[in-house]
Amino acid sequence: MTQAYAATDFADRGQLNSVQLNVVTLVDMERAAATKSLDGCLYMMDNSVGGVGQGGDHLETICKQGQVINWIIRPIDMHRRPDGTWPPMPKINNLVFLDVEKGDEDDVAERRIMTELKVYGGPDRMRDEYTAVYYYWAGAVMSDAKPGLYRYRFVLELEKEHGTDKLYLNSVNYPALRVLPV
């Protein structure tokens, strides 16, 4: 059963006027590398009002047409190890919006949902115990995006523990944006 939302459905409607939303994803890098899958390895949360699925990989972020969304990604383990090395980092290589209207969630959406801003401002390269280091991907919801639910999948690039090879994985459970009309 699909539920229709409107901006008036939320008690704290002022939050819907926020210029940007943040979707933070923590990745269990050790498990993802061992299983070569993101299943059960993503923990997502956002600062939207009324979103559901906080803490899991089925997050539904409530946003509005024209809103900027920042996807921030970082590993669960962020601390320097006793041997002085840092743990590997995840990076969002792409976000792929899916065409759920056709009934096949593996089909890429034919129309654009976001204007891609990609990474802007450049993530910090300096890692120390006092500086949060992460990668992010940003986009603005198209101002003419039809209100509704838009599922997406991550394409993540994971640094491997040893060596320079990268591991590329697609999310298997699809988070979503719930776009409200302005």
Coordinates of all heavy atoms in Angstrom, one line a residue, residues 96-101 104-110 113 149-153 174-175:
V96 N 22.5 5.5 -8.8 CA 21.7 5.1 -10.0 C 20.2 5.0 -9.6 O 19.9 4.2 -8.7 CB 22.1 3.7 -10.6 CG1 21.3 3.3 -11.8 CG2 23.6 3.7 -10.9
F97 N 19.4 5.9 -10.1 CA 18.0 5.9 -9.8 C 17.3 4.8 -10.7 O 17.6 4.6 -11.9 CB 17.4 7.3 -10.0 CG 17.7 8.2 -8.9 CD1 18.9 8.9 -8.9 CD2 16.9 8.2 -7.8 CE1 19.2 9.7 -7.8 CE2 17.2 9.0 -6.7 CZ 18.4 9.8 -6.7
L98 N 16.3 4.1 -10.1 CA 15.7 3.0 -10.7 C 14.3 3.3 -11.2 O 13.6 4.2 -10.6 CB 15.7 1.8 -9.7 CG 17.1 1.5 -9.2 CD1 17.0 0.5 -8.0 CD2 18.0 1.0 -10.3
D99 N 13.8 2.6 -12.2 CA 12.5 2.8 -12.7 C 11.5 1.8 -12.1 O 11.3 0.7 -12.6 CB 12.5 2.6 -14.2 CG 11.3 3.2 -14.9 OD1 10.3 3.5 -14.2 OD2 11.3 3.3 -16.1
V100 N 11.0 2.2 -10.9 CA 10.0 1.3 -10.2 C 8.6 1.3 -10.9 O 7.8 0.5 -10.6 CB 9.9 1.7 -8.7 CG1 11.2 1.4 -8.0 CG2 9.5 3.1 -8.5
E101 N 8.4 2.3 -11.7 CA 7.1 2.4 -12.4 C 6.9 1.2 -13.4 O 5.8 0.8 -13.6 CB 6.9 3.7 -13.2 CG 6.8 4.9 -12.3 CD 6.7 6.2 -13.0 OE1 6.7 6.2 -14.3 OE2 6.5 7.2 -12.3
D104 N 10.2 -3.2 -12.5 CA 11.5 -3.9 -12.4 C 12.5 -2.9 -11.8 O 12.9 -2.0 -12.4 CB 11.9 -4.3 -13.9 CG 13.2 -5.0 -13.9 OD1 13.7 -5.4 -12.8 OD2 13.8 -5.3 -14.9
E105 N 12.8 -3.2 -10.5 CA 13.7 -2.3 -9.8 C 15.1 -2.3 -10.3 O 15.9 -1.6 -9.8 CB 13.6 -2.6 -8.3 CG 12.3 -2.1 -7.7 CD 12.3 -2.1 -6.2 OE1 13.2 -2.7 -5.6 OE2 11.3 -1.5 -5.7
D106 N 15.5 -3.3 -11.1 CA 16.8 -3.3 -11.7 C 17.0 -2.4 -12.9 O 18.1 -2.2 -13.4 CB 17.2 -4.8 -12.0 CG 17.4 -5.6 -10.7 OD1 17.8 -5.0 -9.7 OD2 17.2 -6.8 -10.7
D107 N 15.9 -1.9 -13.4 CA 15.9 -1.1 -14.6 C 16.3 0.4 -14.2 O 15.7 0.9 -13.3 CB 14.5 -1.0 -15.3 CG 14.5 -1.6 -16.6 OD1 15.5 -2.1 -17.1 OD2 13.4 -1.5 -17.3
V108 N 17.2 1.0 -14.9 CA 17.6 2.3 -14.7 C 16.5 3.3 -15.1 O 15.9 3.1 -16.2 CB 18.9 2.7 -15.4 CG1 19.3 4.1 -15.3 CG2 20.0 1.7 -14.9
A109 N 16.2 4.3 -14.3 CA 15.2 5.3 -14.7 C 15.5 6.0 -16.0 O 16.7 6.3 -16.3 CB 15.0 6.3 -13.6
E110 N 14.5 6.2 -16.8 CA 14.7 6.8 -18.1 C 14.8 8.3 -18.0 O 15.3 9.0 -18.9 CB 13.6 6.4 -19.0 CG 13.6 4.9 -19.4 CD 12.4 4.5 -20.3 OE1 11.7 5.4 -20.7 OE2 12.3 3.3 -20.5
I113 N 16.2 12.4 -12.3 CA 15.6 12.8 -11.0 C 16.4 13.9 -10.4 O 15.9 14.7 -9.7 CB 15.6 11.5 -10.1 CG1 15.0 10.3 -10.8 CG2 14.9 11.9 -8.8 CD1 13.6 10.5 -11.4
L149 N 7.9 8.3 -5.0 CA 9.0 7.5 -4.5 C 10.0 7.2 -5.6 O 9.7 6.6 -6.6 CB 8.5 6.3 -3.8 CG 9.5 5.4 -3.1 CD1 9.9 6.1 -1.8 CD2 8.9 4.0 -2.7
Y150 N 11.3 7.4 -5.3 CA 12.4 7.1 -6.3 C 13.4 6.3 -5.5 O 14.2 6.8 -4.7 CB 13.0 8.4 -6.8 CG 12.0 9.3 -7.6 CD1 11.3 10.3 -7.0 CD2 11.9 9.0 -8.9 CE1 10.4 11.0 -7.7 CE2 11.0 9.8 -9.7 CZ 10.3 10.8 -9.1 OH 9.4 11.5 -9.8
R151 N 13.5 5.0 -5.9 CA 14.5 4.1 -5.4 C 15.8 4.3 -6.1 O 15.8 4.7 -7.3 CB 14.0 2.7 -5.5 CG 12.8 2.4 -4.7 CD 12.8 1.0 -4.1 NE 11.6 0.8 -3.3 CZ 11.5 1.2 -2.0 NH1 12.5 1.8 -1.4 NH2 10.4 1.0 -1.3
Y152 N 16.9 4.1 -5.4 CA 18.2 4.2 -6.0 C 19.1 3.1 -5.5 O 18.9 2.5 -4.4 CB 18.8 5.6 -5.8 CG 19.1 6.0 -4.4 CD1 20.3 5.7 -3.7 CD2 18.1 6.7 -3.7 CE1 20.5 6.1 -2.4 CE2 18.3 7.1 -2.3 CZ 19.5 6.8 -1.7 OH 19.7 7.2 -0.4
R153 N 20.2 2.9 -6.2 CA 21.3 2.0 -5.7 C 22.6 2.7 -5.7 O 22.8 3.6 -6.6 CB 21.3 0.7 -6.4 CG 21.8 0.7 -7.8 CD 21.8 -0.7 -8.4 NE 21.6 -0.7 -9.9 CZ 22.5 -0.5 -10.7 NH1 23.8 -0.3 -10.4 NH2 22.3 -0.5 -12.0
Y174 N 17.5 -1.3 -1.8 CA 17.4 0.0 -2.4 C 16.8 1.1 -1.5 O 15.6 1.0 -1.2 CB 16.7 0.0 -3.7 CG 17.2 -1.0 -4.7 CD1 16.4 -1.9 -5.3 CD2 18.6 -1.1 -5.0 CE1 16.9 -2.9 -6.2 CE2 19.1 -2.0 -5.9 CZ 18.3 -2.9 -6.5 OH 18.8 -3.8 -7.4
P175 N 17.6 2.0 -1.0 CA 17.0 3.2 -0.3 C 16.2 4.0 -1.3 O 16.2 3.7 -2.5 CB 18.2 3.9 0.2 CG 19.4 3.4 -0.6 CD 19.0 2.1 -1.2

